[in-house]
Amino acid sequence: MSSAIAEPVTTVLPKSTLDTMILWRTLSVLLLFGSWEIAGRIPISIAFPTFLETMDAFFTLIFDGRMFYAYAETLKPLIVGVGISAGFGISIGIGMGLNRTIQWLSEPIFIVMQAAPMAALIPLVTFVYGIGLAAKVCAVVILAAPIIVLNSYKAVTNANTSLIQMCASFQGSRMQQIIRVIIPDASPMIFAGLRLGVAAGFIGVILAELLITPTGVGDLITYHRSVAEYNYMYAAVFSIMLFAAVTVGLLEKAEIAFFRPERKQKKGG
Amino acid sequence: MSSQTASLLVEETNQVNEQSNDIVEVTGIEKVYPGGTVALQGVDLAFPRGKMTTLLGPSGCGKTTLLKIIAGLLDATAGEVRINGKVVSGPGPERAFVFQDFALLPWATVVKNVAFGLEMQGVEKTLREKKAREYIIKVGLAGFEDNYPHELSGGMRQRVGLARALAVNADVLLMDEPFSAVDEQTRRLFQEELLRLLGMENKTVIFVTHSIEEAVYVSDQIVLLSPRPGRINRIVVPGIDRVGKTSDEIRRETGFLDTVEDIWDTLKKYLDDERMI
């Protein structure tokens, strides 16, 4: 039961708080990159470049086009794999949350998949699917899907009973309950699973490119490591982290735009 | 009725009068939850049309269970619910529910929340939002149409819940402890507003509350339930004459206070019995 609140409450952050938040976040990033620069200058290892050297290599890779070429290769299995994981994963997860038979049938499989070290199965995937796109897609799916499925399942089972009853009390059909109440209510957790799943998908695709055949960003890492151009190797790793962070951030924005408009941050005065 | 006591006469009766005028009837209702807990047993009740009936009793006596069975949100283990003489087995357009925890969609604005019931009934968007805005004004939330529930106080959220229930124009309003989440001042204000709104809308209300004072103040009849398994203990009819009197005047009248005391004595017995066990 929520407590009584005499005055209207809002989550609008005042401008001063927003400024403070931006300041601390900037400081956090500066601290990380500063530490990296110092560690590279000591140096802690001959194979550990400074932040500035890495950035130099990063922009070189962008401007000479190698980064774009690499991502064009890497994104193929990633997009297909994450697409399959998201589409099937969310559907199966929601199905598990709504139907006991589907739950009993699927839950053990995905719990085992989530708990087991699925990366260890990548050689087996290569054995079955060869060294082409299918094997890499499979690597993405086996890492991303269990997280997406189990989060969607938990999200639906934890959907607010009171809201479902409210919908039923106004003669909402089961389909209306699912579409108008259960899925929007479950969307924060479904999207949290999707974000984790996408992050796991990135791990899957890079592992596939390192373990199956060196292509795309995996090839950039492997090649520059083999010729001891560590700044380029780290630039490729840095690009993956940056790309993953941006993708996850965009997913959050998509969630807010389509499902949770109330979480849009209003401009505070 | 000249004296205060006479004007607030308490009538006790084992059955509700004017049977033909009863909009909701429950007969032989029994509810056993999985695990064997008997929540309700042999409940026979009738709710007169256009009146406010309160279900009152100690915690766990099955008040909310009975309300949800009437709403069609819970299935009874035995017995039947009749609305306008017809047996019902699920929710229907003649009943609307006001939830204790408001049950507002956090991602929808006030106007969309109020229009939700109409949306479920297939009312076209422009029409349902027009009707929703009318009820938002009626419950005193004009200007908050485009706010989200988290931007409202507890009291304002419950007004949204009330407007949503009124907008579907159901004959019977089922209210599950609607004011338990608001502070005392807001609660009293709400009681007044509820009586005013119901005067305008001519609804039958079935109201669950823990507050004896609230029950006596707003109700036409009070159904006292015994502890688990819930059974009808007795029905109290506080004949409050509100004409020309303020809320404070009514609450200070001897008859009002006697009725509150009388109900409290009954509930206290239950508490004493529980302690003995």
Side-chain angles (χ1 to χ4, degrees):
Chain A
M1 187 80 255
S2 53
S3 61
I5 307 157
E7 295 296 321
V9 288
T10 68
T11 54
V12 177
L13 291 177
K15 195 174 178 300
S16 58
T17 314
L18 268 176
D19 290 344
T20 315
M21 184 183 77
I22 291 166
L23 177 74
W24 281 102
R25 284 186 176 176
T26 311
L27 273 175
S28 162
V29 171
L30 287 177
L31 192 70
L32 176 74
F33 292 156
S35 311
W36 181 354
E37 182 66 26
I38 292 164
R41 279 177 192 274
I42 289 174
I44 56 166
S45 160
I46 190 83
F48 190 74
T50 64
F51 171 70
L52 292 175
E53 283 167 355
T54 308
M55 285 303 104
D56 181 50
F58 177 72
F59 287 109
T60 306
L61 286 173
I62 287 177
F63 290 120
D64 67 13
R66 277 185 286 166
M67 189 74 89
F68 294 106
Y69 175 76
Y71 269 90
E73 281 297 309
T74 301
L75 284 179
K76 275 184 237 165
L78 183 68
I79 290 173
V80 176
V82 165
I84 292 170
S85 304
F88 281 99
I90 292 174
S91 307
I92 294 169
I94 291 173
M96 283 166 69
L98 297 171
N99 184 294
R100 270 191 188 168
T101 311
I102 302 174
Q103 181 205 335
W104 290 335
L105 187 74
S106 318
E107 197 177 11
I109 300 168
F110 288 104
I111 286 177
V112 168
M113 280 179 80
Q114 196 191 28
M118 295 308 283
L121 294 184
I122 290 176
L124 188 68
V125 169
T126 318
F127 181 71
V128 176
Y129 292 103
I131 56 168
L133 183 67
K136 289 174 185 170
V137 168
C138 191
V140 173
V141 171
I142 59 173
L143 278 153
I147 302 169
I148 296 173
V149 169
L150 291 175
N151 267 276
S152 304
Y153 159 56
K154 290 286 173 200
V156 170
T157 48
N158 290 325
N160 188 327
T161 318
S162 189
L163 290 184
I164 300 167
Q165 281 197 338
M166 182 277 293
C167 185
S169 78
F170 290 110
Q171 303 97 61
S173 64
R174 184 65 179 149
M175 194 48 81
Q176 282 175 315
Q177 287 173 31
I178 293 167
I179 292 170
R180 300 290 286 113
V181 174
I182 296 174
I183 293 177
D185 193 47
S187 72
M189 209 166 154
I190 292 175
F191 270 85
L194 205 54
R195 287 196 291 273
L196 289 170
V198 168
F202 272 93
I203 297 170
V205 78
I206 298 302
L207 276 175
E209 287 185 335
L210 293 175
L211 297 174
I212 300 172
T213 44
T215 52
V217 183
D219 182 39
L220 279 185
I221 296 170
T222 318
Y223 171 73
H224 290 293
R225 187 187 58 191
S226 67
V227 295
E229 286 177 346
Y230 296 114
N231 53 339
Y232 283 92
M233 185 187 100
Y234 273 84
V237 173
F238 178 79
S239 77
I240 299 162
M241 288 156 63
L242 190 67
F243 192 78
V246 169
T247 310
V248 166
L250 286 176
L251 269 175
E252 195 170 356
K253 286 208 183 307
E255 179 205 349
I256 290 170
F258 294 113
F259 291 97
R260 305 307 291 244
E262 86 281 7
R263 284 167 58 198
K264 273 183 196 160
Q265 187 62 60
K266 289 185 179 174
K267 295 272 185 289
Chain B
M1 295 185 188
S2 53
S3 73
Q4 284 183 336
T5 311
S7 68
L8 297 170
L9 182 66
V10 177
E11 293 172 21
E12 287 195 25
T13 176
N14 289 325
Q15 59 180 24
V16 180
N17 295 327
E18 300 173 62
Q19 199 70 21
S20 59
N21 196 33
D22 296 329
I23 186 166
V24 180
E25 294 161 275
V26 297
T27 45
I29 290 290
E30 188 176 313
K31 178 68 186 176
V32 183
Y33 281 109
T37 306
V38 184
L40 293 166
Q41 203 170 52
V43 175
D44 297 305
L45 257 179
F47 298 88
R49 195 180 297 274
K51 303 286 181 192
M52 184 182 284
T53 303
T54 297
L55 303 176
L56 189 67
S59 291
C61 72
K63 305 182 288 285
T64 298
T65 301
L66 180 58
L67 195 75
K68 287 191 172 173
I69 288 172
I70 295 169
L73 296 174
L74 276 179
D75 290 327
T77 312
E80 59 183 27
V81 177
R82 286 174 187 272
I83 311 287
N84 287 320
K86 285 183 190 163
V87 177
V88 292
S89 58
E94 66 292 311
R95 285 156 289 158
F97 205 98
V98 178
F99 289 80
Q100 185 181 13
D101 62 357
F102 321 128
L104 302 180
L105 306 173
W107 56 88
T109 57
V110 165
V111 72
K112 287 203 164 72
N113 265 295
V114 174
F116 187 80
L118 295 165
E119 186 186 347
M120 291 301 102
Q121 293 175 359
V123 177
E124 190 262 326
K125 192 181 176 189
T126 323
L127 197 64
R128 68 175 185 249
E129 293 203 348
K130 183 173 173 274
K131 204 164 182 186
R133 284 176 198 281
E134 284 170 21
Y135 278 95
I136 289 168
I137 294 167
K138 277 189 183 176
V139 298
L141 280 180
F144 289 92
E145 288 86 348
D146 297 320
N147 283 73
Y148 287 96
H150 75 275
E151 297 170 322
L152 307 177
S153 69
M156 292 159 93
R157 286 181 216 178
Q158 194 52 290
R159 284 170 203 256
V160 178
L162 183 61
R164 180 178 58 195
L166 289 171
V168 293
N169 199 25
D171 294 329
V172 184
L173 218 54
L174 305 158
M175 306 180 86
D176 183 16
E177 297 192 45
F179 309 144
S180 62
V182 299
D183 55 78
E184 188 57 28
Q185 300 96 300
T186 314
R187 190 183 184 109
R188 289 198 174 195
L189 193 68
F190 262 19
Q191 291 165 2
E192 294 301 318
E193 287 187 14
L194 181 67
L195 291 170
R196 178 184 60 82
L197 272 170
L198 296 176
M200 281 158 47
E201 299 278 329
N202 191 32
K203 305 283 182 201
T204 304
V205 181
I206 306 176
F207 190 93
V208 166
T209 181
H210 271 295
S211 163
I212 303 172
E213 203 220 19
E214 181 170 84
V216 176
Y217 186 74
V218 299
S219 312
D220 295 301
Q221 68 170 7
I222 300 164
V223 177
L224 274 174
L225 294 166
S226 61
R228 193 180 297 147
R231 295 191 191 92
I232 311 288
N233 174 280
R234 63 184 177 124
I235 294 169
V236 178
V237 181
I240 292 183
D241 177 16
R242 291 193 179 82
V243 182
K245 292 174 193 159
T246 64
S247 156
D248 289 340
E249 282 168 354
I250 294 169
R251 287 175 207 273
R252 279 198 289 267
E253 284 181 352
T254 319
F256 176 88
L257 295 169
D258 285 349
T259 312
V260 171
E261 199 57 35
D262 176 40
I263 294 172
W264 169 235
D265 283 342
T266 307
L267 294 180
K268 207 163 70 173
K269 271 180 210 151
Y270 294 148
L271 290 174
D272 291 341
D273 290 348
E274 260 181 39
R275 278 199 207 117
M276 297 284 279
I277 296 164

